[in-house]
Amino acid sequence: MSKSQVWKLPLSFLNFLKQLLLARWRSLLLLLVGVYLPLQIFGLLAVEVWEESGFGWDTPILVAIHAYSRTQLDIFAVTLTKFGSFRIVSFIIAAIALILFFRKRWRSLAFLLTATLGSAVINRTVKEFMHRVRPDLWTSLTPEFDYAFPSGHAMTSMTLIATLVILTWGSIWCWLSLVFGSVFVVAIAWTRLYLGVHFPSDILAGWMVSLAWVIGVSALIKPYITSAIGVEEPSSEETSLLPEESTSN
């Protein structure tokens, strides 16, 4: 190889790198904002809970919310919080799964099941590992007896809405899922704080780890290749493997 050819190698690589980044910048940005940053926040929360047993702002926020407790709000919170439980959300997931199944949306169905079941496993595993006890500031109307970190309701509600947003990406349903889903996620989080069964850091940690998980799964399975809901006939991407996913030689 001549010297001129050797000197051209760095330029060739830089040109390749430029083209690669231009082609993949959306995927890289998704991994940075949707996976890395949420995991960083979750990691910081987990370390603080593990080493120091919590944050100074956890208790003041709970006390401030509890100061506005009323009988009407008690009834509302007790009723609303049930809709964020895995038991209730699982019925919604099952209904969506059946729709995807009968419409042969295999890729979207695989994403839905992987995201939701994986989120439940992560929640249970982290709870058992962290062993964080729940707040004991007042007698809760809906006492919980398992561990607190991260919040299962926060993870379940965020996983559901994030999954719906990705499944409906590119359609009007996406914006509806995002707007109404955001209200739902915040409302469920408020009920857990109002009822005194979670610290704010439990909620935030649940949101972050579920976001990272769902977005990470979507980056691997790619359910947004085609609109999953509202299309009569599934595209070939929904019912067949991509070239990089095939194991055949």
Side-chain angles (χ1 to χ4, degrees):
M1 183 180 293
S2 64
K3 288 185 177 181
S4 61
Q5 291 176 320
V6 171
W7 283 109
K8 288 181 180 179
L9 288 177
L11 294 177
S12 178
F13 169 71
L14 291 175
N15 183 56
F16 170 81
L17 181 62
K18 176 184 176 181
Q19 293 179 3
L20 181 64
L21 292 178
L22 287 175
R24 299 294 185 181
W25 71 270
R26 290 184 179 85
S27 298
L28 293 172
L29 183 63
L30 178 67
L31 291 175
L32 174 64
V33 177
V35 179
Y36 172 74
L37 291 181
L39 282 181
Q40 275 289 90
I41 296 173
F42 172 76
L44 292 173
L45 292 169
V47 168
E48 189 68 22
V49 169
W50 181 261
E51 294 181 349
E52 304 294 337
S53 299
F55 298 85
W57 41 267
D58 269 333
T59 298
I61 291 176
L62 281 178
V63 172
I65 293 175
H66 185 64
Y68 292 93
S69 62
R70 302 289 187 276
T71 302
Q72 294 83 352
L73 282 180
D74 290 349
I75 299 172
F76 177 71
V78 169
T79 302
L80 180 59
T81 200
K82 296 177 182 178
F83 290 91
S85 67
F86 183 77
R87 179 180 300 178
I88 298 298
V89 171
S90 62
F91 285 105
I92 301 175
I93 297 298
I96 299 173
L98 284 175
I99 294 173
L100 296 175
F101 177 80
F102 285 112
R103 291 188 176 184
K104 298 181 180 180
R105 313 289 178 184
W106 304 148
R107 183 175 298 275
S108 298
L109 180 58
F111 163 69
L112 174 70
L113 296 179
T114 303
T116 54
L117 294 178
S119 177
V121 171
I122 291 171
N123 179 259
R124 179 51 52 191
T125 302
V126 177
K127 279 180 181 290
E128 294 298 328
F129 181 79
M130 296 299 293
H131 278 206
R132 188 186 198 186
V133 297
R134 292 180 182 268
D136 189 22
L137 302 177
W138 62 85
T139 301
S140 175
L141 297 172
T142 57
E144 302 281 358
F145 303 102
D146 60 345
Y147 297 114
F149 185 93
S151 166
H153 279 65
M155 284 192 67
T156 300
S157 58
M158 179 62 79
T159 298
L160 171 65
I161 300 307
T163 301
L164 286 176
V165 168
I166 292 173
L167 284 176
T168 57
W169 191 259
S171 70
I172 186 62
W173 296 107
C174 176
W175 291 105
L176 291 174
S177 298
L178 186 61
V179 172
F180 291 103
S182 298
V183 174
F184 173 72
V185 167
V186 172
I188 293 299
W190 170 81
T191 66
R192 307 312 285 166
L193 300 177
Y194 181 87
L195 295 170
V197 292
H198 276 295
F199 292 106
S201 53
D202 298 333
I203 303 294
L204 184 57
W207 285 348
M208 292 300 102
V209 72
S210 57
L211 267 180
W213 170 251
V214 172
I215 293 175
V217 172
S218 73
L220 290 175
I221 298 181
K222 297 181 175 60
Y224 44 81
I225 287 178
T226 174
S227 179
I229 296 178
V231 180
E232 291 300 325
E233 293 297 329
S235 65
S236 59
E237 290 93 343
E238 277 283 356
T239 56
S240 61
L241 296 176
L242 298 176
E244 64 268 23
E245 296 168 340
S246 178
T247 57
S248 60
N249 295 326

